[in-house]
Amino acid sequence: MKNLRVCQDCHTMMKFLSRVEKREIILRDSIRFHHFREGTCSCGDYR
């Protein structure tokens, strides 16, 4: 398994895109799934 985490810039961009596109975006890193909905993330910005 690769040791990849979502960087802060990518996390912020996905939150922005989910708000603009009004869609849910699911992104996976090595630890958890991130569900971006209406400009918020399921991880609570914990990353």
Side-chain angles (χ1 to χ4, degrees):
M1 178 191 294
K2 293 182 180 180
N3 186 16
L4 296 175
R5 298 294 305 268
V6 177
C7 71
Q8 184 176 359
D9 292 337
C10 295
H11 198 266
T12 303
M13 186 63 183
M14 288 299 157
K15 287 190 332 184
F16 175 74
L17 285 175
S18 71
R19 178 177 287 166
V20 170
E21 295 294 323
K22 297 183 173 101
R23 298 184 68 165
E24 180 179 8
I25 300 171
I26 301 171
L27 182 68
R28 180 179 182 257
D29 66 12
S30 63
I31 295 175
R32 65 177 60 91
F33 283 91
H34 297 263
H35 296 263
F36 297 94
R37 242 182 254 119
E38 299 175 3
T40 61
C41 181
S42 62
C43 75
D45 293 337
Y46 181 67
R47 288 188 290 290

